[in-house]
Amino acid sequence: MEDNIKERKKVNIGNTFRCLIFMLFLFCTMFSNKEIKAQTVSEREAGKHPLIQATDVVEEYKALVRLGFFNTGEWSKKAESKDKETERTDGQKTECKTEAQMLFATLAEETAYEKARAATVQINMGTHYGSGILWDIREGMLVIVSNQHLLKEAESGEIIFRNGVSVQGTVTGLSDTKDIGFIEAPLLDLQREDWLMLRFADKSLENYESLAAGDALFVVGSANGAGEDYYEGTLGDTDYYFPEFQSDMLYGYCKALPGMSGGGTFDKRGRFIGMLTAGTKEEEIASIPVGTMVEEYNKIYENRE
């Protein structure tokens, strides 16, 4: 019985992903007349992640991420297809929703905190551990941002996700001037059902520019497990100069624990606004602004190419 239940869950997850891909396909054909070319799938991918519509499943998932379906912050995507109605034996009609619509409903009901936790990982570098935020997907790799002072400890480390799954990651870039670094792990090291549980940092600079002193914020970190630590506070300044970091940073009034460095700072709507980097016993925090992180990300990855 238990095996049958697990099998049904796997089937439902697969159906959900297929519905998402189908809706993305419709979206692309409506708004673009460019030819979509089929991509080959490696033997490893084909074995672990079955072929869907003759395209690369990593690229399909990456497209959904880029469209913002799995971002932190408020849900803004809505299923455009109408609910179907079926007639019951008693003559009454009942709503019948597609797998994709059910996923959209789940995403819409997720709180800002739930999305922020799902975007937060724990990073174990051997002698030190801390937090990280899911940042992007690049060439089939999950890109995770954290503090340089954590990632410089080793060339690789263990990345633990919110659902308890762990993979090995490789440090791919450290900033020369900011306390920012990036670590990557192959997306294919996760099962496809895990992908739907991941959330990524909303990197909108407009959100940061709209902040004002006194605004509510919260921080999420991984001192006691991936995404387990959560504290609320208020914003003090978005442009406060910290001589120890030689940089303008977000300054706030909020509790933080050792091990939360590299975690996220979010506004009250759950939109990512910075990376938690330091805290004091007086419950003050310093976070690297999202704009600075975008700049360093572009700089580091441009130098790699």
Side-chain angles (χ1 to χ4, degrees):
M1 177 66 72
E2 185 176 343
D3 290 340
N4 290 337
I5 292 174
K6 289 182 178 178
E7 188 63 31
R8 286 199 297 272
K9 287 183 177 179
K10 289 182 180 179
V11 171
N12 288 337
I13 290 170
N15 291 338
T16 298
F17 198 83
R18 288 182 174 83
C19 288
L20 277 173
I21 299 306
F22 178 69
M23 295 193 72
L24 176 63
F25 174 77
L26 291 179
F27 179 87
C28 292
T29 53
M30 287 173 61
F31 295 99
S32 173
N33 58 7
K34 295 181 180 179
E35 181 181 359
I36 301 176
K37 297 181 179 180
Q39 301 181 21
T40 61
V41 181
S42 67
E43 287 185 10
R44 177 166 178 261
E45 184 177 335
K48 193 172 182 181
H49 307 275
L51 185 67
I52 299 177
Q53 295 185 358
T55 58
D56 187 327
V57 293
V58 174
E59 290 303 315
E60 292 169 340
Y61 178 70
K62 179 180 175 182
L64 292 174
V65 171
R66 291 290 170 81
L67 287 172
F69 281 87
F70 298 99
N71 275 2
T72 58
E74 290 185 332
W75 173 251
S76 59
K77 303 290 185 298
K78 295 182 182 296
E80 295 182 359
S81 58
K82 295 181 179 179
D83 296 340
K84 296 179 181 179
E85 287 187 342
T86 58
E87 190 166 335
R88 301 190 322 203
T89 54
D90 57 6
Q92 295 182 4
K93 290 185 177 181
T94 181
E95 229 177 40
C96 180
K97 292 189 175 182
T98 65
E99 293 278 353
Q101 286 174 321
M102 287 189 286
L103 177 61
F104 294 151
T106 298
L107 291 170
E109 291 172 2
E110 282 183 347
T111 66
Y113 173 44
E114 289 170 336
K115 290 181 180 179
R117 294 177 81 184
T120 308
V121 301
Q122 186 178 65
I123 303 174
N124 185 347
M125 299 300 290
T127 57
H128 295 76
Y129 73 92
S131 308
I133 294 292
L134 285 161
W135 183 259
D136 199 2
I137 297 177
R138 188 183 182 94
E139 298 176 355
M141 305 294 286
L142 284 172
V143 182
I144 296 164
V145 64
S146 186
N147 284 133
Q148 189 246 36
H149 72 252
L150 171 66
L151 299 182
K152 70 179 182 180
E153 295 296 324
E155 295 181 353
S156 62
E158 182 186 24
I159 300 168
I160 305 169
F161 296 90
R162 175 65 191 156
N163 63 355
V165 174
S166 64
V167 299
Q168 194 69 15
T170 302
V171 176
T172 54
L174 300 174
S175 172
D176 295 328
T177 58
K178 308 295 182 184
D179 195 1
I180 299 173
F182 296 92
I183 184 171
E184 292 182 358
L187 181 64
L188 292 175
D189 280 359
L190 297 174
Q191 297 293 333
R192 195 169 68 226
E193 52 263 35
D194 298 326
W195 300 0
L196 301 180
M197 302 178 188
L198 303 179
R199 302 292 175 264
F200 293 80
D202 178 359
K203 298 176 281 293
S204 171
L205 304 185
E206 289 78 9
N207 294 340
Y208 194 86
E209 293 168 357
S210 67
L211 296 172
D215 284 353
L217 60 77
F218 65 88
V219 296
V220 178
S222 303
N224 296 294
E228 286 294 326
D229 304 288
Y230 166 85
Y231 296 104
E232 297 179 354
T234 56
L235 176 65
D237 196 342
T238 59
D239 198 28
Y240 188 91
Y241 183 76
F242 284 85
E244 49 267 67
F245 294 106
Q246 298 183 347
S247 178
D248 292 327
M249 301 179 73
L250 180 152
Y251 170 67
Y253 307 100
C254 189
K255 183 177 179 179
L257 302 175
M260 290 182 67
S261 293
T265 304
F266 303 86
D267 69 10
K268 64 182 179 180
R269 296 163 67 181
R271 300 177 301 189
F272 183 77
I273 55 177
M275 179 169 62
L276 183 62
T277 301
T280 70
K281 293 181 180 179
E282 289 73 30
E283 298 192 356
E284 299 169 298
I285 60 168
S287 299
I288 299 174
V290 60
T292 303
M293 299 171 68
V294 171
E295 290 175 3
E296 290 301 307
Y297 174 68
N298 293 336
K299 187 187 304 181
I300 289 172
Y301 278 84
E302 282 174 3
N303 291 336
R304 289 180 55 192
E305 295 174 350

